[in-house]
Amino acid sequence: MTDYRTGDGIVRFVRDVLHADPTPYQIAILQALVEYRRVAVRGPHGLGKTALSAWVVLWSLAAFDTDVKVPVTAGAWRQLEKFTFPEIRKWAAKADWEKVGLQVRRGKEIFDLFIKLENKEAFAVASDNPALIEGAHASTVTFVLDEAKAIPNDIWDAAEGAFSAAGEDTGFQAFALAISTPGTPSGRFYEISSHKPGFDDWHAIHVTLEESIAAGRISRRWADQRQAQWGETSAVYQNRVLGEFADSDEEGVIPLSWVEQANRRWDECGGTGEGRVCYGVDPAYKGTDKTAIARLVGNVCERIDTYSRQDTMQTVGRVIALVDKQTPIGVDVIGVGAGVYDRLHEQGYSATPVNVANATDMHDSSGQQGFVNLRSALWWMLRDALDPSGDVLLAIPPDDILTGDLTAPTWSYTSSGHIKIESKDEMRARIGRSTDKADALALARYVAVRSSRKIMGFV
């Protein structure tokens, strides 16, 4: 029988048993895992991270004879439930298990979140439960850390305990694959990937955009479109397209990390909210701007739809098809939006006209900072609703355009000490587009707060 425990062997296992066609950088990662035992991989969205995680799980169970444990964790439980283990099951179903003398059958040995063979097992572990990681003792232990950027330090420390018993003089061995798109420049995954002191026993690999394009995993057209949409220096472009660690600029209104946490909340609730339904409508007609309609239910933005070149009556018709007359609707009345509001109001709908250029006496949550105009107050209200340390914890869909919208605007203080958010014209001049989806969400949030007769965090 082929020895799959070597660097060449693990590649043969992936090709011959799983019938996969690994890219050159995936081959290098697999071989590095055998050679260095601890490997941390960062790279762009779409490089094939979850497939690599699945291959390593199945290789660990097949390549070693007995007493094997494979704890699999991720930054969020949903990643394990909806992505990592479905990927494991997919490749297990394709595998030629006779070549390694095993049977791995759905409902017999492999289940939703674990695989159980004689003296071997792989299982999902929540990233807030280091005790299960610490208890993973076996002759061979392989830790797989998917979307590793969000995994707490306690899990990394617990996994390191298994390596204390691993060595040529003990008869035990341990492996660890940590793989992720990068996030903010903080946390254990960042420290390892950046070769910080104390992590010399980890082998860090950066899969570049060009490597991913050359391997056919990422489209250059997609990468170019994201550069135009987000801007080359934006954190979201640096993280998701270049595979680099970056956070939003200090002048940015909403950090990318806050948006990603709100995306995870949306995934966890299945994109469905509870409570009052409100809509935000940001109308547009000519040019590249789009009409955006946001549906907010409680603290969950269920969806934001956009439409090109919609005249007043078309926009009104779309809104009427979605709402009843009691549903609060915030409408930006600058430009074509004035006609949209007038028609909804005439028809008896609960529409609120919002001229974001108007002055406002609203203040921030401290009660100390005022705003130069209503647009600035609405965006700051949205910022507070996305702040992970706040009380609201808004959930928003994982939408690339919405992410780019939310992380694009900057803010500053005026000479009078008021907070000022970039205007739409300033945004358009700087990044070449308008933040239509985010503006619609801000309008929905504004009327939701007004309808509750309480400005949450604002005075």
Side-chain angles (χ1 to χ4, degrees):
M1 184 179 292
T2 303
D3 184 0
Y4 295 114
R5 297 170 297 178
T6 66
D8 290 337
I10 189 172
V11 177
R12 285 199 301 272
F13 172 81
V14 169
R15 284 176 167 159
D16 299 344
V17 179
L18 300 183
H19 304 298
D21 184 19
T23 66
Y25 61 78
Q26 287 174 327
I27 291 171
I29 292 166
L30 293 168
Q31 292 175 330
L33 180 65
V34 173
E35 180 177 356
Y36 297 103
R37 304 300 173 107
R38 300 173 180 88
V39 175
V41 182
R42 79 182 197 272
H45 175 77
L47 66 84
K49 298 180 297 296
T50 306
L52 265 167
S53 296
W55 297 346
V56 168
V57 169
L58 297 174
W59 165 77
S60 300
L61 295 173
F64 302 97
D65 293 335
T66 58
D67 195 20
V68 179
K69 288 188 177 179
V70 188
V72 185
T73 190
W77 184 257
R78 182 177 172 81
Q79 175 71 22
L80 298 173
E81 189 177 45
K82 299 297 183 181
F83 299 101
T84 311
F85 268 83
E87 189 78 4
I88 292 169
R89 295 196 300 270
K90 180 187 83 173
W91 288 105
K94 293 181 177 182
D96 186 355
W97 291 110
E98 290 185 2
K99 288 185 176 180
V100 290
L102 294 175
Q103 281 190 319
V104 182
R105 301 161 295 181
R106 186 79 170 102
K108 297 289 187 180
E109 290 83 19
I110 184 167
F111 300 88
D112 286 349
L113 292 169
F114 68 94
I115 302 173
K116 180 67 174 176
L117 307 174
E118 185 177 0
N119 297 318
K120 303 179 184 182
E121 59 181 327
F123 49 91
V125 179
S127 61
D128 60 354
N129 194 348
L132 287 181
I133 294 287
E134 289 173 346
H137 299 294
S139 297
T140 300
V141 179
T142 300
F143 298 99
V144 175
L145 299 89
D146 200 3
E147 287 303 331
K149 65 185 177 187
I151 293 175
N153 287 354
D154 288 349
I155 290 289
W156 296 88
D157 293 338
E160 192 59 41
F163 282 89
S164 65
E168 295 179 356
D169 56 338
T170 65
F172 295 95
Q173 56 189 337
F175 301 89
L177 172 68
I179 189 164
S180 187
T181 53
T184 59
S186 61
R188 186 63 54 81
F189 184 67
Y190 166 71
E191 293 170 340
I192 291 170
S193 300
S194 303
H195 309 283
K196 297 294 184 183
F199 301 106
D200 297 336
D201 43 9
W202 280 85
H203 182 69
I205 296 174
H206 176 204
V207 178
T208 67
L209 173 62
E210 291 304 320
E211 287 177 309
S212 302
I213 291 173
R217 293 288 313 186
I218 292 177
S219 160
R220 185 174 294 280
R221 173 177 161 79
W222 175 85
D224 290 344
Q225 288 174 330
R226 298 293 75 76
Q227 181 178 347
Q229 176 189 340
W230 293 330
E232 188 172 2
T233 61
S234 69
V236 63
Y237 180 80
Q238 294 287 318
N239 288 172
R240 299 188 181 182
V241 181
L242 298 185
E244 298 285 5
F245 290 93
D247 202 354
S248 301
D249 295 336
E250 289 184 7
E251 297 83 9
V253 180
I254 299 171
L256 174 60
S257 57
W258 292 11
V259 176
E260 291 177 333
Q261 290 181 62
N263 293 159
R264 288 194 286 272
R265 292 193 292 270
W266 192 90
D267 283 337
E268 289 165 2
C269 71
T272 302
E274 296 181 357
R276 187 73 179 268
V277 179
C278 297
Y279 278 80
V281 182
D282 184 31
Y285 180 39
K286 296 180 180 179
T288 58
D289 292 0
K290 294 183 178 181
T291 293
I293 302 175
R295 174 182 168 88
L296 183 65
V297 183
N299 288 333
V300 178
C301 175
E302 293 189 341
R303 67 175 186 272
I304 305 177
D305 299 314
T306 57
Y307 309 94
S308 298
R309 298 188 175 277
Q310 298 283 293
D311 64 25
T312 298
M313 296 311 296
Q314 287 175 309
T315 299
V316 169
R318 289 191 182 278
V319 174
I320 288 175
L322 295 171
V323 305
D324 58 34
K325 292 190 174 181
Q326 287 72 47
T327 300
I329 311 163
V331 184
D332 185 340
V333 295
I334 294 177
V336 69
V340 173
Y341 164 74
D342 287 344
R343 185 60 178 163
L344 288 170
H345 182 67
E346 288 172 2
Q347 295 293 314
Y349 285 85
S350 182
T352 297
V354 184
N355 187 330
V356 296
N358 284 348
T360 179
D361 58 0
M362 293 169 61
H363 289 73
D364 72 347
S365 56
S366 72
Q368 303 299 312
Q369 299 293 334
F371 301 95
V372 70
N373 54 23
L374 187 56
R375 171 179 169 78
S376 300
L378 264 61
W379 267 86
W380 212 259
M381 180 184 291
L382 189 55
R383 169 191 162 90
D384 276 4
L386 291 167
D387 186 343
S389 66
D391 298 327
V392 178
L393 298 181
L394 196 65
I396 58 176
D399 176 309
D400 283 347
I401 294 174
L402 177 59
T403 296
D405 285 359
L406 290 169
T407 57
T410 62
W411 71 282
S412 60
Y413 284 117
T414 65
S415 58
S416 58
H418 288 80
I419 293 171
K420 179 184 183 297
I421 308 297
E422 273 186 299
S423 69
K424 277 195 172 186
D425 288 342
E426 290 170 332
M427 283 286 303
R428 199 177 289 108
R430 183 168 64 85
I431 67 173
R433 62 181 179 84
S434 179
T435 52
D436 304 317
K437 286 192 171 185
D439 289 330
L441 176 58
L443 289 163
R445 173 69 186 152
Y446 177 63
V447 295
V449 171
R450 281 175 57 91
S451 68
S452 69
R453 300 191 178 279
K454 180 173 70 173
I455 302 295
M456 298 180 183
F458 280 72
V459 296

